Amino acid sequence: KQEVTQIPAALSVPEGENLVLNCSFTDSAIYNLQWFRQDPGKGLTSLLLIQSSQREQTSGRLNASLDKSSGRSTLYIAASQPGDSATYLCAGFLYGNNRLAFGKGNQVVVIP
Amino acid sequence: DTGVSQDPRHKITKRGQNVTFRCDPISEHNRLYWYRQTLGQGPEFLTYFQNEAQLEKSRLLSDRFSAERPKGSFSTLEIQRTEQGDSAMYLCASTIGGQEVAGELFFGEGSRLTVL
């Protein structure tokens, strides 16, 4: 069974600092990896998708990378803002498995 | 709005009652997923459909749970004889999927179930 670990589980940073969120998979045979944002009581919003032929994706202040050999992904958020406060979830599709496996998330608070 | 739509957003019910949730996926998406999420946890896979065919069910989906996707469009998730342990957020997602691959998943806002 694929297990996904996200470290740290929770963190607080002052506004303006860069955020680095980590995700690791027990099975590194990942072909798609997605990072999501979830606000309290809400659904999941897709932030970035790294497809099988890619190693990283960027959108605005967000950058996500995937190292398939080690089964690790990192989400980098530059110059954090209070509006970035949320839970960030990573999830991956494995080859031969048609379900996204999720971590428990990184709960982020950006202090003004 | 062309995103994934779920209804109702909130449902409070008494133990033993039946509840049904509906999901309308993005129109061109052939694959639809149901996930369940409890507080502080990541979403857990329940089941998925490729068009109208239910291709996989998690062991989390007991006999009290049933899901359908008639005509490969909207989907319903029914829980019979609800228990307090069923209290959770039920999330629906859709994507374009092939035999062994799937694209970016888009989620709805979820249906929150509270069983008293």
Side-chain angles (χ1 to χ4, degrees), chain A residues 55-91:
Chain A
R55 292 190 175 181
E56 68 175 325
Q57 275 288 351
T58 298
S59 176
R61 294 183 294 110
L62 275 60
N63 174 273
S65 62
L66 174 61
D67 181 347
K68 289 187 177 181
S69 63
S70 64
R72 295 175 187 269
S73 178
T74 299
L75 177 66
Y76 178 85
I77 303 177
S80 60
Q81 302 170 358
D84 294 330
S85 299
T87 297
Y88 293 85
L89 294 150
C90 76

Side-chain angles (χ1 to χ4, degrees), chain A residues 27-67:
Chain A
D27 187 332
S28 60
I30 302 160
Y31 73 81
N32 271 5
L33 184 133
Q34 269 184 269
W35 280 92
F36 295 89
R37 170 185 172 135
Q38 187 173 33
D39 294 295
K42 302 288 188 180
L44 278 65
T45 300
S46 180
L47 296 174
L48 292 166
L49 167 70
I50 304 177
Q51 294 183 303
S52 58
S53 59
Q54 301 170 325
R55 292 190 175 181
E56 68 175 325
Q57 275 288 351
T58 298
S59 176
R61 294 183 294 110
L62 275 60
N63 174 273
S65 62
L66 174 61
D67 181 347

